[in-house]
Structures are given as structure tokens and as C-alpha cells.
């Protein structure tokens, strides 16, 4: 809907005169739809920090997505799991577990957009042993199944001018 409204909105010039009730109402509605959609969007980037321990924990987590645990990360950065949890909450505002899930889903999105990547191989590459668990998490994160995302990403790639 938002995409179609954006295309329809091209009928008005950028420097249009204010006071046209039709266009003003249209763009106000579009702005409300976009704001609402953004409130429910999954993050498309991961948080970063200058905090040395948390930054090292973030890097270790991303490097070992397929098998990392909180215990592994806390050992790698030489802090207790409790300290790791506290530092994550204080520094980046989300738990390590949430960070891990977001990192896995973003990596999965990148893998699925690539050529010849199966959903099963993607699930395994990002640390899911169970395909149904991966599909459920991915669908909650992206709003569509991994297969649907893969198909859409490939279609969009083919439609881009070279």
C-alpha cells in the first residue's frame, strides 16, 4: 500500500502549493502509514559501541553465529555471564540473546538473497538445528517466511538494471 501511495504521490510536484486539501490529506495519511510501519519494522542493522568489552563480545558473537553461547562469549571477553548481560543492557540497550537473534536473522537475510542458498543451509549456517524453529523466528523477524523472502529478494535482484 505504501509503495503504491508513493507512486501515486508523484502526481504532485515536490514544490506543490500548500493548502490543497486533497494532497495535504493524502500526504498526511501516507506519513502516518509510514510511521506506523516503521514502528513495527525489524532492525536492519546491529547496534555498535565503543565499550571495549561489549565491542569484543559483539565481534565474537558475529564471528561464531552458528554455535556461540553466552558462556563462550563471556569466556572470550573474560567476564562473567552476569556481567556480560549487565553490560549489554547498559551499553546497547538490548540483551545479548536479542543481539544474537538479530545478528542471526540479518545474516540469514543476506544468505537467502544470494544465489543457490537453500533455506535449510541458511538455517544451519546461522545456528538453527531445527528448520521449523528457524522459519518461525525468521517469519516473526521479517514478516514473511524464509522461502518467500528468498523468492522476493531474487526477483528484485533480477529487476535491477545492470
Amino acid at each position: 500500500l505504501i509503495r503504491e501511495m508513493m507512486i501515486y504521490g508523484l502526481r504532485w510536484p515536490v514544490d506543490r502549493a500548500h493548502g490543497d486539501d486533497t494532497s495535504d490529506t493524502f500526504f498526511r495519511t501516507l506519513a502516518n502509514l509510514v510511521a506506523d510501519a516503521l514502528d513495527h519494522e525489524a532492525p536492519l542493522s546491529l547496534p555498535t559501541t565503543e565499550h571495549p568489552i561489549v565491542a569484543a563480545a559483539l565481534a565474537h558473537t558475529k564471528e561464531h553465529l552458528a554455535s556461540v553461547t553466552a558462556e563462550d562469549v563471556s569466556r572470550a571477553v573474560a567476564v562473567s555471564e552476569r556481567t556480560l548481560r549487565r553490560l549489554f543492557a547498559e551499553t546497547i540497550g538490548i540483551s545479548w540473546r536479542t543481539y544474537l537473534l538479530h545478528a542471526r536473522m540479518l545474516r540469514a537475510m543476506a544468505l537467502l538473497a544470494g544465489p543457490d542458498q537453500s533455506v535449510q543451509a541458511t538455517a544451519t549456517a546461522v545456528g538453527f538445528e531445527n528448520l521449523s524453529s528457524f522459519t518461525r523466528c525468521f517469519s516473526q523477524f521479517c514478516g514473511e517466511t524464509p522461502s518467500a523472502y528468498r523468492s522476493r529478494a531474487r526477483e528484485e535482484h533480477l529487476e535491477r538494471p545492470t
Side-chain angles (χ1 to χ4, degrees):
L1 174 64
I2 292 171
R3 180 178 180 271
E4 293 303 316
M5 286 182 73
M6 290 172 69
I7 292 168
Y8 186 79
L10 293 173
R11 68 188 300 226
W12 288 288
V14 174
D15 58 350
R16 69 183 171 77
H18 294 283
D20 172 17
D21 288 341
T22 303
S23 64
D24 289 348
T25 301
F26 177 84
F27 285 110
R28 203 170 22 258
T29 302
L30 178 58
N32 289 335
L33 287 171
V34 169
D36 186 55
L38 290 175
D39 286 343
H40 298 92
E41 273 298 302
L44 293 179
S45 64
L46 294 170
T48 60
T49 182
E50 297 294 320
H51 190 286
I53 294 172
V54 178
L58 298 176
H60 185 83
T61 300
K62 286 190 292 188
E63 289 171 17
H64 302 90
L65 281 181
S67 62
V68 72
T69 65
E71 181 182 350
D72 296 336
V73 174
S74 61
R75 194 174 326 115
V77 298
V79 298
S80 70
E81 286 183 53
R82 182 177 178 192
T83 298
L84 182 71
R85 284 192 299 272
R86 182 181 53 76
L87 286 173
F88 262 72
E90 290 173 358
T91 308
I92 61 172
I94 61 173
S95 69
W96 176 81
R97 179 67 93 197
T98 298
Y99 179 85
L100 173 63
L101 178 63
H102 290 183
R104 285 178 168 172
M105 293 300 101
L106 291 173
R107 174 85 50 87
M109 290 169 70
L111 291 172
L112 288 169
D116 304 322
Q117 183 72 18
S118 74
V119 174
Q120 179 66 57
T122 300
T124 302
V126 298
F128 284 82
E129 295 176 14
N130 182 309
L131 184 59
S132 63
S133 295
F134 171 69
T135 299
R136 185 176 58 254
C137 286
F138 190 92
S139 297
Q140 288 173 346
F141 188 82
C142 291
E144 62 187 327
T145 66
S147 297
Y149 177 84
R150 184 182 63 196
S151 295
R152 186 174 56 77
R154 288 181 180 166
E155 285 174 18
E156 289 175 2
H157 178 73
L158 293 174
E159 292 174 359
R160 284 189 208 135
T162 55

